[in-house]
Amino acid sequence: MRHLIVVLGDQLNRDSAAFDKFDPAKDAVWMAEVTEESTHVWSHKARIALFLSAMRHFRDALREEGIRVHYRELSEGSLADFLKRDIAKLKPQRVIAAEPGDYRVRDSLAPMIEFVEDRHFLCSTAEFREHARGRKQLRMEFFYREMRRRHEVLMDGGQPVGGQWNFDHENRGAFGKAGPLGLPAPRRFQADAITKKVIGLVGKKFAKHPGSLEDFDWPVTPGEALDALDDFIAHRLPLFGQYQDAMWTAEPWLYHSRISAAMNLKLLNPRDAIRAAEKADAPLAAREGFIRQILGWREYVRGVYWLRMPEYVEGNALDAHARLPKFYWTAETDMACLREAIGQTLRYGYAHHIQRLMVTGLYALVAGVDPRQVHEWYLAVYVDAVEWVELPNTIGMSQFADGGYLASKPYAATGKYIARMSNYCAGCRYDPAESTGERACPITTHYWDFLIRNEAKLKKIPRMEMQLRNLVRIAPAKKKAIRERAQELRDAH
């Protein structure tokens, strides 16, 4: 055998650089399903099923092309162990793979594989290192503008279309008391024979893992991924911008796209999503907001991940050591916002970015939960979680554990933020305006405790000045009561 092409579970794109000069007469593909990839964090059943089903569909598509695929169905062990055995048996001249999306996987496979650049992304790791060179502080906005210019996206004669680079101020709308009206349901994908078999396997093999498989309907092929994109562009993109931060009880999808998992498994090329949004019949603010998440934030966090790993995962700038509450795995809590966001996550393996950042992430941040535990939870429970994108969003953006490398301030708020952006608080026993007493919202209590215990560190962050100014107005006796109540809540975790 000349070349053995290793295809990992999040590398399901036929146009990968690993396939350059592929010769079916001389080369072959190697793929493996191994339990370690589902158990190194306690993965959601739907996440496991998505990876396995998409991998098996990709395997079959390659075989239909006449390509030899050495494929191991679910086996106990690790990728490195099985690959080492099969290399010894197949004796290829070269073993080639696209760059993995997980430092742990790359580190374990590096002695055996020749990695090539992952062309799925619009910014290579080398290009990002060049962008970061000499900068004391990185900011996504400057990177995003650079990417817009380089790829000529929403540009007009060297200037941004519409005369400004982003429309954040137009993209923070909340629903009225009536909630979202005439909400279009997203395209659903019925399980075929392959997916049904995988669902049965996962339900049996990983029965004790979190989450449900009853509502599984994620795209598992490139064709389905394009259908999901087309459905979003036609029916939800026009209002995506305005309501991208809004939340509503029992409405998991709202105006979001449901394509992040397909992109992260590389069933969908981000260039296709960007082009579709750029040409769409939708307000500029909606198109720009959606494109910024892909061309800006998605590429940016990947660059940060590979620039800062492996030490990045150890970040704990705020010295947070509380344990992750048990209700993150069960949704059994009397806090309506967390019950809704976590319950939805366990049911579908999905929550949109504000539910992650400003509900589950917010509580963990202000409660002082160990950021490593928070990271492992996010990696486990979301179907779109691959470490290169999940870890920076959790460690840097959500938990501020990197001390401000990724975000310019901690995303800390009282429960009143959630009340403003959702209807969750209407069905809750707690009052988001109260920080002490029986009806005090735990998020609000933890918020003020977060400011008190981190005051010295937060004073060094310019964007925290206003929040710390409010802290001065609280009497010592009330501060003491807040701190005692916050500790009681942590002890109950």
Side-chain angles (χ1 to χ4, degrees):
M1 181 187 300
R2 188 182 68 148
H3 297 164
L4 184 65
I5 308 303
V6 173
V7 174
L8 302 175
D10 62 339
Q11 298 179 340
L12 308 180
N13 52 323
R14 182 64 177 83
D15 60 354
S16 166
F19 285 99
D20 286 357
K21 300 180 181 179
F22 185 88
D23 184 343
K26 301 176 181 177
D27 306 328
V29 169
W30 184 89
M31 300 176 71
E33 305 168 1
V34 296
T35 54
E36 182 183 62
E37 296 309 300
S38 300
T39 58
H40 75 280
V41 292
W42 199 35
S43 291
H44 193 297
K45 294 185 187 76
R47 180 175 184 263
I48 302 170
L50 175 60
F51 272 80
L52 298 188
S53 178
M55 288 173 68
R56 293 184 183 192
H57 281 89
F58 188 71
R59 171 202 63 192
D60 289 358
L62 292 177
R63 286 176 173 167
E64 286 175 10
E65 284 188 54
I67 293 173
R68 284 179 295 162
V69 183
H70 298 278
Y71 194 97
R72 286 183 178 270
E73 293 199 350
L74 193 61
S75 305
E76 297 285 342
S78 70
L79 285 168
D81 289 342
F82 284 121
L83 181 58
K84 185 176 181 179
R85 285 185 220 170
D86 287 348
I87 288 173
K89 182 169 58 177
L90 298 169
K91 295 181 171 56
Q93 295 173 23
R94 295 171 67 194
V95 182
I96 301 168
E99 300 166 313
D102 183 315
Y103 185 91
R104 171 188 56 87
V105 172
R106 183 188 177 102
D107 192 49
S108 70
L109 300 182
M112 296 175 279
I113 293 183
E114 177 183 330
F115 293 121
V116 295
E117 182 183 321
D118 191 340
R119 287 198 304 247
H120 168 85
F121 296 95
L122 288 89
C123 181
S124 70
T125 53
E127 288 169 335
F128 191 85
R129 282 195 299 271
E130 186 59 33
H131 167 81
R133 194 186 310 278
R135 295 177 187 263
K136 292 182 179 179
Q137 187 124 40
L138 296 182
R139 283 291 170 259
M140 195 280 285
E141 181 66 23
F142 301 127
F143 171 79
Y144 171 56
R145 295 181 187 187
E146 185 179 301
M147 293 292 286
R148 288 265 296 270
R149 293 188 186 100
R150 182 189 307 170
H151 295 282
E152 297 183 353
V153 174
L154 290 179
M155 298 297 293
D156 182 11
Q159 297 299 315
V161 171
Q164 59 192 71
W165 289 101
N166 75 62
F167 295 83
D168 260 356
H169 62 284
E170 296 180 32
N171 290 342
R172 294 172 180 160
F175 301 118
K177 290 184 179 180
L181 302 175
L183 191 63
R187 168 88 155 78
R188 297 184 66 86
F189 299 94
Q190 296 300 316
D192 63 7
I194 293 174
T195 301
K196 287 178 180 176
K197 184 176 180 180
V198 165
I199 288 173
L201 171 65
V202 172
K204 182 178 181 180
K205 179 74 174 177
F206 301 100
K208 294 183 179 180
H209 280 234
S212 170
L213 289 164
E214 292 182 10
D215 297 283
F216 186 94
D217 74 332
W218 296 99
V220 293
T221 67
E224 290 182 343
L226 282 172
D227 287 345
L229 172 64
D230 291 344
D231 175 72
F232 166 69
I233 295 294
H235 301 296
R236 296 188 302 288
L237 176 61
L239 289 175
F240 165 78
Q242 183 178 354
Y243 295 120
Q244 65 176 294
D245 288 2
M247 299 171 283
W248 201 259
T249 301
E251 293 289 356
W253 316 120
L254 296 171
Y255 295 99
H256 292 267
S257 67
R258 295 212 331 154
I259 63 169
S260 59
M263 276 200 296
N264 292 351
L265 270 62
K266 304 186 180 68
L267 301 174
L268 179 66
N269 192 314
R271 294 162 186 82
D272 291 335
I274 291 166
R275 281 193 293 267
E278 193 173 20
K279 296 185 297 183
D281 181 16
L284 178 58
R287 291 184 289 137
E288 185 279 319
F290 177 70
I291 287 170
R292 178 158 26 99
Q293 290 195 4
I294 300 173
L295 184 61
W297 192 251
R298 185 172 186 265
E299 298 284 334
Y300 181 71
V301 297
R302 176 177 180 259
V304 168
Y305 177 83
W306 287 112
L307 194 65
R308 299 297 301 272
M309 285 296 284
E311 68 277 3
Y312 199 60
V313 71
E314 304 297 337
N316 194 351
L318 298 177
D319 198 29
H321 298 286
R323 60 182 175 268
L324 186 74
K326 293 177 183 177
F327 62 72
Y328 271 67
W329 297 105
T330 65
E332 295 172 359
T333 173
D334 55 4
M335 290 175 276
C337 60
L338 284 155
R339 184 172 64 246
E340 180 70 20
I342 296 171
Q344 173 190 307
T345 294
L346 295 175
R347 179 174 178 180
Y348 300 106
Y350 171 85
H352 72 66
H353 65 283
I354 293 300
Q355 291 175 308
R356 299 188 203 194
L357 178 65
M358 299 305 297
V359 181
T360 53
L362 170 61
Y363 185 87
L365 170 69
V366 295
V369 175
D370 182 335
R372 182 71 176 258
Q373 293 184 34
V374 184
H375 147 60
E376 291 177 352
W377 182 79
Y378 277 103
L379 185 59
V381 298
Y382 290 112
V383 296
D384 59 2
V386 180
E387 194 176 82
W388 65 263
V389 65
E390 174 277 323
L391 189 146
N393 271 299
T394 303
I395 295 293
M397 186 74 167
S398 173
Q399 300 304 297
F400 204 72
D402 65 359
Y405 188 83
L406 190 72
S408 59
K409 59 165 282 187
Y411 279 81
T414 68
K416 289 193 286 186
Y417 171 86
I418 295 170
R420 185 167 69 251
M421 297 305 298
S422 75
N423 70 333
Y424 295 161
C425 298
C428 189
R429 59 166 290 209
Y430 298 114
D431 184 345
E434 296 295 327
S435 58
T436 57
E438 290 185 5
R439 295 202 64 233
C441 171
I443 291 178
T444 301
T445 301
H446 279 309
Y447 167 80
W448 290 110
D449 177 65
F450 171 81
L451 295 184
I452 295 166
R453 72 175 186 273
N454 291 297
E455 185 175 10
K457 294 175 181 176
L458 299 178
K459 280 181 177 178
K460 300 174 184 178
I461 303 171
R463 291 188 64 198
M464 291 299 297
E465 182 180 352
M466 184 176 295
Q467 288 169 279
L468 291 174
R469 198 180 301 147
N470 293 330
L471 187 62
V472 175
R473 301 171 187 156
I474 300 178
K478 186 166 185 178
K479 285 183 179 179
K480 183 174 182 292
I482 288 170
R483 299 229 62 193
E484 289 174 352
R485 177 56 181 156
Q487 189 57 51
E488 289 174 4
L489 291 167
R490 277 191 291 273
D491 289 342
H493 290 170

